[in-house]
Structure formats: C-alpha cells, structure tokens
Amino acid sequence: MATRFVLLLILVSIASEYDGAAAATWSSAHATFYGGSDASGTMGGACGYGNLYNDGYGINNAALSTALFNSGKSCGACYQIVCDSRKVPQWCLKGTYITITATNYCPPNNNLPSDNGGWCNPPRQHFDMSQPAYEKIAIYRAGIVPILYRR
C-alpha cells in the first residue's frame, strides 16, 4: 500500500511539473509559408539536408528567421507550433498544432519593414513553413499568422 502511495505522489509531482513547464515554455512569433502545395520548394536549404523526403523530414519543416536560426545552431531542432487563435480566430484552425523541423534559413529583407513583408528581419522571431505544414494550423488566405511555439 505504501508503495502505491509513493508512486501516486511521484506521478502527481511529475504531472504538475510538466504542466507548469509546458505553460512557461510557449513563446510568441509569426508564421508564413513557402514552397507550394507539394512542399517541393522547401528542398535543400541552408541546413544542407538535401531532399527532405529522402532524409525523412517530409513536409513538416520550416525556415527560421535570423533570431531563431542562431547561425545554423538550430538546424534539426523541432518546434511545436499552434496558431494563436486569441489574436486571429478567423485565420486559425482552432485546436490544431504541428511539430516542424528547422531545415532552412529565412533571410531578412531589409528593404521592407518587419511588419509588412520583412517577416524574417531581426529581431523578429518567425517561421517560414512549408505550405502543407502551415495549412495544418492556419487558413491559406491569411498569409501570415501569429503563433505560439515551443522547442
């Protein structure tokens, strides 16, 4: 009986730590998409993975802005992403999320402001996702949506 009680306390402790940690790890960013409906335009990229289908990454991938790419140190990192329906409920697929792999770099466009086309400009945190991955969390017509993410 004592063993069951200790085990129950351990499980409750782990669950509460997990819930607290998960809530604390979400960060705000934005997401757009590139590469077309078949994600073929996402092949290759700054991380050097080549053919993402053959290498097992599939279509759930994204190019990261300078702030997230970290000079390539984020290549291969996985991120859980959800559209922030509190801000744009009309564009989000509510209750859905996706886990993507960082496979590319989204270069800044310093000729455009970061709130109107220069989505990957520093210090903005931005995910330029494959189109099929983006469409798992948001509606195509939105083009850009606020998101919450965690590594």
Side-chain angles (χ1 to χ4, degrees):
M1 182 73 160
T3 304
R4 285 187 200 162
F5 181 73
V6 170
L7 181 58
L8 179 61
L9 284 176
I10 291 170
L11 290 174
V12 168
S13 174
I14 290 170
S16 64
E17 284 179 35
Y18 175 77
D19 288 344
T25 60
W26 289 100
S27 299
S28 295
H30 283 83
T32 51
F33 60 88
Y34 76 110
S37 61
D38 64 355
S40 63
T42 65
M43 295 299 147
C47 293
Y49 294 130
N51 186 315
L52 298 175
Y53 298 126
N54 292 346
D55 290 343
Y57 294 102
I59 60 172
N60 294 345
N61 56 72
L64 305 183
S65 65
T66 302
L68 293 169
F69 191 68
N70 196 17
S71 300
K73 292 178 184 139
S74 294
C75 287
C78 295
Y79 297 87
Q80 188 176 42
I81 297 175
V82 61
C83 187
D84 192 347
S85 61
R86 298 170 304 167
K87 295 181 180 176
V88 290
Q90 72 276 23
W91 299 121
C92 295
L93 298 177
K94 200 169 186 177
T96 63
Y97 70 91
I98 188 167
T99 301
I100 59 95
T101 304
T103 59
N104 204 350
Y105 172 61
C106 183
N109 183 345
N110 295 318
N111 294 323
L112 296 173
S114 63
D115 63 349
N116 190 17
W119 311 124
C120 294
N121 293 351
R124 191 176 185 114
Q125 295 185 359
H126 188 82
F127 292 83
D128 198 12
M129 302 168 68
S130 74
Q131 182 179 335
Y134 175 91
E135 289 185 302
K136 289 181 182 176
I137 62 163
I139 296 170
Y140 174 87
R141 286 190 335 250
I144 181 170
V145 292
I147 61 164
L148 297 171
Y149 74 94
R150 63 183 173 187
R151 192 157 175 189

